[in-house]
Amino acid sequence: MKTPAHCPGYENFKNLSSFVCKCPGCGKEKEIFSDEFNKQHICPGCKQEIDFSKCSIEGTAGSAAPR
């Protein structure tokens, strides 16, 4: 029996990207994954629904400066 190199279900999620959205209401940051973009998201700070058309993107996965 061979041990898998990755967790079960890894293939379904290996191409996901994420970004950090700053709530237009209170400024609290929330991480959103690419497969969740069309879902409703509630701000952890002000508890209001986040309107992505007014959201400022603060960063994306892999956007760190090279070392």
Side-chain angles (χ1 to χ4, degrees), residues 1-30:
M1 182 171 176
K2 185 177 176 184
T3 304
H6 301 286
C7 297
Y10 167 79
E11 290 296 318
N12 296 333
F13 302 109
K14 72 179 185 178
N15 294 321
L16 286 179
S17 57
S18 68
F19 63 94
V20 176
C21 175
K22 195 174 269 190
C23 175
C26 72
K28 183 86 172 169
E29 293 183 346
K30 179 164 176 80

Side-chain angles (χ1 to χ4, degrees), residues 19-24 50-57:
F19 63 94
V20 176
C21 175
K22 195 174 269 190
C23 175
I50 296 173
D51 179 355
F52 288 111
S53 67
K54 297 177 182 171
C55 177
S56 68
I57 297 175

Side-chain angles (χ1 to χ4, degrees), residues 37-52:
F37 190 74
N38 62 349
K39 296 179 182 177
Q40 179 187 38
H41 290 277
I42 304 299
C43 174
C46 65
K47 308 298 185 216
Q48 299 298 311
E49 182 176 357
I50 296 173
D51 179 355
F52 288 111

